[in-house]
Amino acid sequence: MTDNLIADPTGNRTRRRVRALSSGVRSAHADSASTPPAIKDSGTDSPAGGGRSGSSARVLVIVLAGQFMALLDAFIVNVATPSIGADLHASGAALQLVNAGYTIAYAVLLVTGARLGELLGPRRTFLAGLAVFTGASLACGLAADAGQLIAFRVVQGAGAAVMLPQVLGLIQRTFTGAAQTRAIGAYTGVLAIGAVSGQIAGGVLVSADLFGAGWRPVFLVNVPIGALLLAAGPRLIPRDRPSGAARGLDLPGLVLLAGALGLVTVPLVLGQETGWPQWSWWSLGGGGLLLAAFAAHEAARARRGGAPLIAPRVAGAPGMPVKVVRIAVVMAVNAGYMFALTLHFQNALHYSALRTGLTFVPTALAYGAVGLWWRRLPQRVHHLLVPGGFALICVALLGIGLALKGGGDGGGWVFVAYTGLGAGFGFAHSANLAAALASVRTEDAADASGLVVTVNQVGLLLGTSLFGTLFLNRLAAEGAGGASRALWGSVLALSGTAALGGLVGALRRRT
């Protein structure tokens, strides 16, 4: 996730948050002493349903293209915000809501999207979400004022929330064994590369001012891509298999969870920009109460023999609590790192948005590469990948902090640290996501996907809010000349958090 400072039309500096979707989800290694049997190399590339590997590859291309489009869109908008403000005469608060509306809708509706995939079928739900996302992108590109743009961004976030949980679900349903692990590696590679590509593409599109359209191509670029995927998807993605075991939607549970996530997400997205007013704390407290009510409702529903929103066998799958915690920790560290470095690059070092995006390329490429080939390492070292990844994150963060501590750009050697950080993220994520999905049954794919994607998003929000507050507070305390010292303090906190993530596996015997 990237946060940066943007200039609004009046010349004031307003901080704005942009979330990479995926959000989505990064991956991580199993915390157990050995790789779970479900993710060991089965030697098959055939899909679960028995189809050919060629058709499976086409399914992967379609769903990952949809994932890439949604992620690219979030970061493209990051770079385009100053132009949007100038053209639409939008206030700083309105510009903030252009991105917050997307993020809030996405985070709140993720679990609902995952359950819809179970009820209606992942193919049908993916294509429906893609259609909503593509249509909303067109509407965003044609918006006449800030109010319309905010509304269409909310619809766009809802489309992403319906579409993206199906990506992991379709991967899990289509691939088995080694093929599934490789597909998840490709998924994580798309996440890593898409985030940086968005910032670079945004800078290029806004600077090119195609046809005098200014910022509008950053949304309109989704339309031809989405149209192509909508044309190819119905022919290439296999039809959903009928299932008589589909559970009800559990509307009371959905309302409670959506309300809780909304009350938690809104202050995390908007609290820092507004100075953490009293309403933000009341909102967080209310969200906690609704989460407790949701847990009580789900437990009572399970006791009555009903179908809870998230099956207990998913949340209680072997090692799942540890995997979920590690996903949240890595997402928070990644978000805090991107936040602090982006602000430091653009304000202390006066980098352009394009140069800032290019600086993150080594991290993204290393992360994607590790996600693709970690499985080729000897099986006997797989249990070391996650703790080793967290250790590498700690060392790389400290190296980056030391390189930038003097106030310069760190020279050539800092790019070694950027690359090491990406490798650490890759090792600490890819196999863990594979293990998390492999630890549940295929029929629980929707629940597992909704759970890990939601945890991913909450981790990003927490990382930006907690580490963002720390960085900004230290920056204010250090004064104009203390940017590098503020960064160093934040790096120490990030490194310590990564160390805790590496140690959390010690709790496995208690889970």
Side-chain angles (χ1 to χ4, degrees), residues 90-333:
S91 66
L95 292 175
Q96 187 175 303
L97 287 171
V98 167
N99 293 285
Y102 183 100
T103 301
I104 292 168
Y106 175 69
V108 168
L109 296 175
L110 274 170
V111 173
T112 303
R115 180 54 63 86
L116 287 174
E118 180 187 7
L119 290 174
L120 304 177
R123 173 184 181 267
R124 182 182 304 168
T125 308
F126 174 83
L127 293 174
L130 176 61
V132 171
F133 184 90
T134 303
S137 297
L138 176 61
C140 287
L142 300 177
D145 56 47
Q148 290 183 15
L149 183 57
I150 292 168
F152 295 141
R153 284 285 282 169
V154 171
V155 177
Q156 203 180 31
V162 172
M163 173 176 63
L164 297 186
Q166 317 316 320
V167 175
L168 284 174
L170 284 167
I171 287 174
Q172 188 177 10
R173 291 168 185 262
T174 305
F175 298 93
T176 59
Q180 184 182 104
T181 303
R182 286 194 293 273
I184 292 173
Y187 170 87
T188 58
V190 165
L191 288 174
I193 296 171
V196 174
S197 299
Q199 295 202 84
I200 296 172
V204 171
L205 287 173
V206 172
S207 299
D209 191 19
L210 298 174
F211 309 107
W215 54 271
R216 298 179 187 275
V218 304
F219 293 108
L220 297 176
V221 71
N222 294 324
V223 178
I225 301 174
L228 179 62
L229 296 180
L230 285 170
R235 294 185 294 107
L236 298 182
I237 302 176
R239 293 184 179 275
D240 297 316
R241 296 188 298 272
S243 173
R247 295 165 288 166
L249 199 55
D250 184 15
L251 288 178
L254 284 174
V255 170
L256 286 172
L257 183 59
L261 290 175
L263 289 174
V264 170
T265 300
V266 170
L268 289 179
V269 172
L270 303 178
Q272 179 63 47
E273 288 88 343
T274 56
W276 294 104
Q278 188 175 22
W279 68 260
S280 64
W281 299 107
W282 283 108
S283 182
L284 287 170
L289 291 176
L290 280 186
L291 281 175
F294 169 73
H297 166 78
E298 295 294 281
R301 187 178 179 89
R303 286 196 300 269
R304 294 193 302 267
L309 194 59
I310 298 177
R313 61 177 176 268
V314 172
M320 183 64 80
V322 171
K323 297 177 181 70
V324 165
V325 169
R326 281 178 159 167
I327 288 172
V329 168
V330 179
M331 290 301 96
V333 171

Side-chain angles (χ1 to χ4, degrees), residues 477-502:
E478 293 287 351
S484 60
R485 292 192 296 274
L487 179 65
W488 174 244
S490 298
V491 163
L492 288 177
L494 288 165
S495 183
T497 303
L500 291 176

